[in-house]
């Protein structure tokens, strides 16, 4: 019930109001949880580099919860999660992709 009573917070980008349930500012598209998202992705990349694919997958899943649906960033993470799941299950050879840079603005998928 507390969330229902929560007031909009100002966007750190455009200073517009952002409702508590939103993941991106409706005015400028800035991600509400950009810092946490970046930390999850960095943790996932470190875990993947160390060979801890299960931990990497967990961090990517957490990062996805901070991204709006139908965005390029979320689609990229979903591809990585699919690849990691295949590697964990033994359905694919382990590969290393380039580093994902999570921007602070949502990029809508086509």
């Amino acid at each position: 019930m507390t969330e229902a009573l929560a007031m909009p917070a100002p966007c750190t980008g455009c200073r517009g109001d952002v409702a508590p349930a939103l993941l991106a500012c409706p005015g400028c598209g800035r991600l509400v949880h950009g810092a946490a998202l970046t930390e999850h992705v960095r943790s996932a990349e470190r875990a993947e580099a160390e060979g801890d694919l299960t931990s990497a997958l967990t961090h990517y899943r957490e990062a996805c919860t901070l991204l709006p649906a139908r965005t390029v960033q979320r689609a990229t993470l979903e591809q990585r999660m699919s690849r990691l799941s295949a590697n964990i299950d033994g359905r694919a050879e382990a590969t290393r992709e380039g580093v994902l840079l999570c921007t602070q603005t949502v990029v809508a998928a086509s």
Side-chain angles (χ1 to χ4, degrees):
M1 183 158 215
T2 346
E3 191 169 326
L5 300 175
M7 300 296 291
C11 172
T12 57
C14 70
R15 308 302 299 167
D17 287 339
V18 180
L22 295 179
L23 297 173
C25 174
C28 69
R30 186 175 185 88
L31 296 171
V32 173
H33 306 289
L37 172 65
T38 299
E39 185 53 39
H40 279 298
V41 170
R42 286 183 180 153
S43 294
E45 290 171 344
R46 277 192 302 271
E48 192 172 356
E50 294 168 1
D52 187 354
L53 303 185
T54 302
S55 180
L57 185 58
T58 299
H59 283 291
Y60 283 135
R61 284 183 178 145
E62 288 296 320
C64 272
T65 67
L66 304 176
L67 286 166
R70 296 178 303 280
T71 59
V72 171
Q73 293 97 327
R74 187 162 181 158
T76 299
L77 291 184
E78 287 170 348
Q79 283 181 325
R80 285 187 177 193
M81 290 187 311
S82 177
R83 179 183 49 81
L84 283 172
S85 292
N87 289 335
I88 290 168
D89 295 344
R91 293 179 279 133
E93 291 290 320
T95 61
R96 176 73 178 131
E97 292 181 14
V99 174
L100 170 69
L101 300 176
C102 288
T103 62
Q104 297 295 321
T105 304
V106 171
V107 179
S110 308

